[in-house]
Amino acid sequence: SPGAPKEFTMRRFAPLLPLLAAVSCGPKPDPVPPVTQPEETSPAAATNPPMDQHFVQANEIKMAIVMGDLEAARNPARWLQNNLDPEALPARWRPHVPKVKRAAKDVENASTIAEAAKGAAKLARTCGDCHTDVGIELGGPEAYEPTGAATPGEEMHRHQWALDRMYEGLMRPSLEGWNSGADMLATAPLHGEGAGEGVAGQAAKVHGLGASAKNAADWNQREDHLAELLSSCASCHEAVGFKPGN
């Protein structure tokens, strides 16, 4: 079943243990950037629940998929479907609500991580389309500053930072944010010494996705890149038998 942990040996898992520890115990994702509401939005219609909560739920979906946890992705997807009320939004925003809910429903109904990843990428893209249409501007991410030595934890943190920038790149939307994440993803190391051929192959695929992401011709192609990237991250964790709580 999707939630059942895979059998693995310590020898196979050991090369990535420091990296995976960095995901669950290391630096947390950057805070959700603040939202600047359009001037014409009245306080009563500023969104209920607050817009920041939409981003929190979308980011929870992203992280659950990366960790290969379908059930954890379904919970925030249900929240988005149940808590987005078009009547609580300005009139110009309302046509986008069904699209957001459909993308969230795709995540909830997904039977595989690949399907959930497509739903999550569609969700991010749909949010970005809404922001563009209604004129919402999101603050940009701070520049990434390495902590120093190229430790396994630092290397995984770079990948996490890159994925966050690309996800936000679709949601804001921001080509600059997308490209900054793609640049980092294409160069940041992923696996430690002694990693098996399968893990090394997954790492090469992720690096390749980063390199090709900057060549995407439009936001449709960027959406497809993000879906494949989310799924590839989960596949790499699966390749070493990693599941949440391990």
Side-chain angles (χ1 to χ4, degrees):
S1 64
K6 291 177 64 70
E7 295 295 331
F8 63 95
T9 65
M10 286 304 296
R11 180 179 62 81
R12 185 162 168 242
F13 179 68
L16 280 194
L17 184 59
L19 302 181
L20 296 171
V23 173
S24 57
C25 304
K28 301 299 181 184
D30 295 339
V32 174
V35 175
T36 301
Q37 303 288 0
E39 292 183 0
E40 67 270 22
T41 302
S42 67
T47 74
N48 184 23
M51 179 63 75
D52 281 357
Q53 274 299 314
H54 304 175
F55 289 98
V56 168
Q57 303 303 322
N59 278 317
E60 287 189 5
I61 289 173
K62 173 195 67 181
M63 291 308 299
I65 292 171
V66 166
M67 304 312 292
D69 193 337
L70 271 178
E71 189 56 43
R74 291 186 180 110
N75 291 332
R78 294 187 189 104
W79 187 97
L80 287 170
Q81 295 173 74
N82 295 333
N83 290 278
L84 291 181
D85 180 9
E87 298 305 314
L89 301 174
R92 188 172 177 181
W93 299 26
R94 294 171 190 169
H96 296 279
V97 173
K99 301 175 186 178
V100 171
K101 289 189 173 185
R102 281 197 296 270
K105 187 68 172 178
D106 287 345
V107 174
E108 181 187 8
N109 289 342
S111 58
T112 66
I113 287 294
E115 291 176 357
K118 290 180 180 179
K122 174 61 72 177
L123 175 64
R125 167 72 185 285
T126 302
C127 290
D129 288 346
C130 178
H131 300 154
T132 298
D133 183 41
V134 304
I136 293 178
E137 295 182 2
L138 304 183
E142 295 182 0
Y144 178 74
E145 297 182 3
T147 60
T151 63
E154 174 65 18
E155 290 165 1
M156 181 57 76
H157 183 44
R158 293 184 186 190
H159 273 255
Q160 180 179 320
W161 185 92
L163 178 62
D164 289 345
R165 297 295 77 75
M166 295 175 75
Y167 196 72
E168 291 170 7
L170 276 184
M171 294 189 76
R172 294 173 56 191
S174 167
L175 184 57
E176 179 183 2
W178 173 271
N179 285 340
S180 67
D183 283 337
M184 179 71 74
L185 189 67
T187 58
L190 180 59
H191 57 81
E193 293 182 3
E197 182 178 343
V199 174
Q202 289 290 344
K205 181 179 180 180
V206 169
H207 289 313
L209 286 171
S212 62
K214 289 188 67 174
N215 296 325
D218 53 33
W219 291 107
N220 289 329
Q221 289 188 10
R222 294 181 188 105
E223 177 187 327
D224 291 341
H225 265 79
L226 181 63
E228 189 172 2
L229 174 60
L230 292 171
S231 181
S232 295
C233 290
S235 294
C236 188
H237 294 155
E238 184 180 18
V240 296
F242 180 77
K243 288 288 182 181
N246 282 5

